[in-house]
Every structure is written in C-alpha cells, then in structure tokens.
C-alpha cells in the first residue's frame, strides 16, 4: 500500500519545487504577483498618480502584502530547516517583501516623519524574489561563483593598471590641468578604462592625450575579458544541467531528477548532492 503524503510534504513539493504541474503554476502566479506589486510601487512613487489613485494603490498593496505574507508563512511551515530558511538570502528577501507595509501600520509616526519613502523603497527588493522561480538565474549565479577567482585576479590586474596609469597622469598633467592628487588621477583612469569618461577631467598635454588614448583602447579589451570568463562558465554549467536527469531519491528511489532539483517530489526528502 503506497505511503500517504502529508499536507506538509505536499506543500513543500508545490512551494519549493517547480517540476510538478502545481509547483509550476504556483511559481507562475507568484511571478505575475511580484511584477504587479513592483508596478504598484513604481506608480506610487509618481506624485500625480499617487494623489489621484491613493485608495486603489493602497488596496492593491495590502492584497499583495497578504499574498506574500501567506507565502512566507507557508514556506516557514514546510521548510526542511526553518531557521536556515529564515536566515537565508531568500528568506530575508521574503521578509522584506512584507515588512514595510506592517511597519507603516504599526508605527503611524513613521508616516509623519519620513512619509514612508524608505519603506516604499525597501519593497523594491521583491524583484529579487523572481530569482527563486527561474532556473536561468541559478545558471548565472553558478557561473559567477565558478569564475569568481578568475574575475578577482582580473580585477586585481586592472586595479594595478589604473593605479600606475593614474599616477603617471598625475606626474604628466599635474594640478594645473585638474589632476590635483593621485586619487583624483586614479578616478580619471578608472572612468577612462571603463570607457565611461565623464569629461570632468581631460588631459591637455600631448603626452597626456597619448596616455588617455592607450587607456581607452585598453578599455575595450578590458570589457571583453570578464564577459568571456562568465560566458565560458555558463556554457559549461548549461551542459551540466542538460546532462543531469538520472539522480534518484535515496529514500523512495524515485529517479529522473535534474541538477537544479533539491527535494524529492514524491516523499519530500532532500536529494543527494551532485
């Protein structure tokens, strides 16, 4: 006789996994709600819109707050490790998604002091909740994590280059042309290397213009290096994701799970690490 699945295990499958029809629909509804709630936050920041539709925007905000509160409580209820979930990145983001509205309700004096602008801005953190429901975000995060050492080495080389070139420009141009200190010259080198070039400081001497030209040409190559590193890692991880699909649950022995699956949709047990 098959083992009966408890309500907690069913909710865990729906909330934390998206490889079932109900889990997929749950994620789709939440993505739609997050995008709409962000639209409400943006419209509420426009004075004319907020003034004319204050009641409607407030009602929508409370609806979204109630929805995200219910989601947060359900996640706490069915999480395998509640403390770990609450203190995790996504647990904190889930809390920030609902906290501002309740703070404004419990402490009305905040409204008089700061017009709840800071609290309204905090609600924009809901956008990070989107990363929970799209595997592509996980692919990018894995690629960034895998290439972090290469990127750190690359950034250290860039830092050395801008320090040397900035110091050189300080010697060549000097305070008379706006390079009043080595930090200011390094700031110029950074903006030039990244091809931003605000134009607030420009070389005036021929040698300074030559150095600036070299820096700008180096900037094009500089932008390509981290892009290539991350792209290569993403290609590798994408192949790994594609190749996975034969992982099995050690408790109920159900197989067919991929790299991005963490819990068994049948018994709710945590899957073995890859």
């Amino acid at each position: 006789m098959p083992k009966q699945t408890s309500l907690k295990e069913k909710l865990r499958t729906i909330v934390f996994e998206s490889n079932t029809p109900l889990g997929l629909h749950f994620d789709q509804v939440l993505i739609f709600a997050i995008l709409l709630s962000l639209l409400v936050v943006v419209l509420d920041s426009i004075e004319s819109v907020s003034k004319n539709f204050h009641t409607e925007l407030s009602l929508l905000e409370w609806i979204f707050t109630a929805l995200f509160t219910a989601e947060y409580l359900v996640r706490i209820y069915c999480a395998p490790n509640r403390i770990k979930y609450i203190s995790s990145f996504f647990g904190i983001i889930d809390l920030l998604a609902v906290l501002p509205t309740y703070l404004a309700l419990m402490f009305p004096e905040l409204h008089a002091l700061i017009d709840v602008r800071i609290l309204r801005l905090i609600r924009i953190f809901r956008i990070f909740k989107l990363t929970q429901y799209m595997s592509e975000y996980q692919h990018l995060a894995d690629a960034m994590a895998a290439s972090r050492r290469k990127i750190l080495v690359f950034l250290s080389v860039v830092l050395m280059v801008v320090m040397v070139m900035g110091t050189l420009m300080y010697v060549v141009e000097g305070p008379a042309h706006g390079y009043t200190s080595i930090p200011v010259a390094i700031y110029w080198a950074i903006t030039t290397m990244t091809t931003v070039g605000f134009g607030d400081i420009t070389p005036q001497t021929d040698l300074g213009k030559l150095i600036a030209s070299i820096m700008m040409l180096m900037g094009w190559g500089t932008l390509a290096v981290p892009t290539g590193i991350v792209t290569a890692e993403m290609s590798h991880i994408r192949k790994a994701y594609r190749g996975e699909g034969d992982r099995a649950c050690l408790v109920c022995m159900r197989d067919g799970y991929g790299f991005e699956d963490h819990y068994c949709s049948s018994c709710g047990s945590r899957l073995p690490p890859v």
Side-chain angles (χ1 to χ4, degrees):
M1 185 174 182
K3 180 183 177 182
Q4 291 293 329
T5 305
S6 65
L7 175 61
K8 184 176 181 179
E9 292 173 341
K10 291 180 179 178
L11 287 175
R12 181 186 301 166
T13 302
I14 295 173
V15 172
F16 285 101
E17 299 294 335
S18 59
N19 57 347
T20 62
L22 285 177
L24 180 61
H25 292 324
F26 177 81
D27 290 352
Q28 290 173 342
V29 169
L30 277 177
I31 291 173
F32 185 68
I34 292 169
L35 293 175
L36 284 181
S37 69
L38 291 174
L39 178 61
V40 171
V41 174
V42 173
L43 291 177
D44 195 31
S45 67
I46 304 174
E47 186 176 353
S48 58
V49 176
S50 179
K51 183 178 179 180
N52 295 326
F53 301 96
H54 177 73
T55 302
E56 291 82 356
L57 292 175
S58 297
L59 177 61
L60 287 173
E61 176 56 33
W62 274 111
I63 293 175
F64 290 127
T65 299
L67 174 64
F68 294 138
T69 301
E71 180 216 358
Y72 182 58
L73 295 177
V74 169
R75 286 184 181 275
I76 293 177
Y77 169 71
C78 62
N81 189 324
R82 296 176 182 177
I83 301 299
K84 186 176 180 181
Y85 164 70
I86 293 173
S87 59
S88 66
F89 172 77
F90 288 122
I92 295 173
I93 291 300
D94 289 339
L95 179 61
L96 289 177
V98 301
L99 190 62
T101 306
Y102 291 119
L103 285 177
L105 178 65
M106 292 187 297
F107 303 101
E109 61 273 13
L110 291 177
H111 192 283
L113 292 175
I114 60 174
D115 195 24
V116 206
R117 288 176 184 171
I118 295 178
L119 299 181
R120 288 173 180 168
L121 288 176
I122 292 176
R123 293 183 312 196
I124 206 69
F125 278 91
R126 288 174 184 167
I127 197 170
F128 289 108
K129 284 169 62 64
L130 288 172
T131 60
Q132 297 178 80
Y133 312 113
M134 297 184 184
S135 59
E136 287 77 7
Y137 284 114
Q138 187 63 46
H139 295 182
L140 179 60
D142 291 341
M144 294 291 289
S147 58
R148 62 184 182 276
R149 290 177 64 86
K150 297 176 184 177
I151 293 178
L152 285 175
V153 171
F154 166 75
L155 290 177
S156 66
V157 173
V158 172
L159 179 61
M160 289 187 287
V161 170
V162 296
M163 289 185 67
V164 171
M165 300 298 281
T167 304
L168 182 60
M169 284 296 290
Y170 171 73
V171 174
V172 172
E173 295 291 332
H177 297 150
Y179 298 81
T180 56
S181 64
I182 291 180
V184 171
I186 292 176
Y187 159 77
W188 168 86
I190 293 174
T191 59
T192 305
M193 174 74 82
T194 55
T195 68
V196 176
F198 291 111
D200 48 352
I201 306 174
T202 55
Q204 303 298 320
T205 65
D206 293 337
L207 181 57
K209 292 178 180 179
L210 175 62
I211 295 173
S213 300
I214 295 174
M215 290 285 292
M216 285 182 276
L217 292 175
M218 289 175 60
W220 286 102
T222 300
L223 293 175
V225 173
T227 304
I229 293 174
V230 176
T231 301
E233 291 294 341
M234 287 191 70
S235 177
H236 175 72
I237 289 174
R238 192 177 294 112
K239 291 178 181 178
Y241 270 76
R242 245 189 247 119
E244 292 294 334
D246 55 353
R247 294 171 65 203
C249 175
L250 299 180
V251 178
C252 67
M253 301 307 297
R254 178 173 177 176
D255 58 5
Y257 292 105
F259 181 81
E260 58 189 355
D261 297 322
H262 301 291
Y263 296 95
C264 176
S265 60
S266 178
C267 67
S269 301
R270 187 169 185 85
L271 296 174
V274 180

